[in-house]
Amino acid sequence: RDQAKAEERAAASRLAGYGLDPASLEDEAGQEPAGAESRYTIRAPFAGKVLERSVNLGASVEPGQELLLIGDTSRMWIQAQAYERELAAILGAQARGEVPAEVTVPAYPGRTFPGRVDRMSGILDEATRTARIRIIADNPDGLLRAGMFARVNLLVGGGAMVLAVPAEAVLEDAGRSFVFVPTTPPYFLRRPVRAGHSADGWMEILDGLREGDTVVSRGAFQLKSDVLRSKMGAGCAD
């Protein structure tokens, strides 16, 4: 009898690991007719949706086999990268309180999903000079899906007037930011700049330009590509 009780406790302990409590075991066991094959409900440890299923009705399964992928998609994590030059503004905003964020995805043009900065990595990627940031966004309608590409705009505030240019005008080469400034036609001058944070398609310029300077925005990337191919050949001067 003692041995049978020990085996019963061991079996109950294993089933408890699958989320079955003693009351559930008693209820479900009492509903099975004598001689019937035992069936137990295995519950997920949290409420969510079945995102993937790798088993069908009647299939044989083995211990450790992944059967279902279940996730709570009511809130989503968005992983973003912030450039080294943007860290001061983000950290300053965090010191003042919660940092709001706006998330957009190509799947829903014109729609913005509100979010907030949850955490920021304490280290910097040496290759890209960026820090990873995690944003949490509410997803009550389930429109955001894991694996989507997203663009994040952090509302760091401040309210000060700054010099800014279209973000597409600011390019990078070997970790250095620069813009193209038109000079004597048909030449362009590559001018180094020190960029700040970006928002709404604009990039803050901390040094390298003055108010009223003209820069190349549309087609700047193509101009950079031409320069790299021709090694500063005709049509461009450095």
Side-chain angles (χ1 to χ4, degrees):
R1 179 176 178 276
D2 290 342
Q3 182 180 352
K5 283 291 185 181
E7 292 175 351
E8 179 187 15
R9 287 194 297 269
S13 178
R14 289 195 298 271
L15 291 173
Y18 292 108
L20 296 175
D21 56 67
S24 299
L25 291 174
E26 294 294 335
D27 292 342
E28 298 198 28
Q31 296 174 5
E32 294 290 340
E37 182 179 351
S38 296
R39 296 183 179 180
Y40 295 100
T41 302
I42 300 177
R43 295 180 174 85
F46 58 87
K49 297 180 179 180
V50 175
L51 305 179
E52 291 183 5
R53 187 185 72 176
S54 55
V55 66
N56 295 316
L57 184 64
S60 299
V61 297
E62 300 293 335
Q65 180 180 343
E66 187 175 285
L67 307 180
L68 301 171
L69 176 62
I70 300 174
D72 179 7
T73 60
S74 60
R75 294 194 307 169
M76 299 293 288
W77 288 358
I78 295 93
Q79 301 286 0
Q81 283 77 35
Y83 286 109
E84 185 176 7
R85 61 176 179 265
E86 300 171 331
L87 298 186
I90 298 173
L91 292 174
Q94 282 186 315
R96 297 190 296 270
E98 186 175 277
V99 181
E102 296 176 342
V103 180
T104 57
V105 293
Y108 311 109
R111 177 158 185 172
T112 300
F113 297 85
R116 60 179 177 83
V117 174
D118 179 51
R119 60 169 299 178
M120 183 166 61
S121 173
I123 61 176
L124 208 66
D125 187 293
E126 294 183 1
T128 62
R129 310 306 301 169
T130 60
R132 178 170 293 184
I133 298 179
R134 186 171 74 193
I135 293 93
I136 294 181
D138 291 331
N139 188 34
D141 300 326
L143 298 179
L144 296 176
R145 304 295 178 92
M148 281 182 167
F149 286 102
R151 181 179 293 274
V152 176
N153 181 26
L154 301 183
L155 308 180
V156 296
M161 297 294 291
V162 298
L163 179 65
V165 299
E168 60 184 342
V170 182
L171 306 169
E172 287 196 359
D173 183 23
R176 299 177 181 177
S177 299
F178 67 91
V179 297
F180 284 114
V181 177
T183 180
T184 305
Y187 298 100
F188 297 89
L189 179 67
R190 171 173 161 164
R191 180 177 296 178
V193 296
R194 186 162 62 93
H197 66 273
S198 59
D200 297 328
W202 293 86
M203 180 73 72
E204 179 185 10
I205 301 298
L206 302 175
D207 190 25
L209 290 176
R210 295 179 298 179
E211 183 177 357
D213 286 346
T214 301
V215 299
V216 178
S217 56
R218 183 177 300 177
F221 183 79
Q222 181 63 42
L223 186 58
K224 173 188 174 182
S225 301
D226 293 341
V227 169
L228 293 178
R229 282 197 301 266
S230 62
K231 301 296 185 180
M232 304 307 293
C236 187
D238 193 352

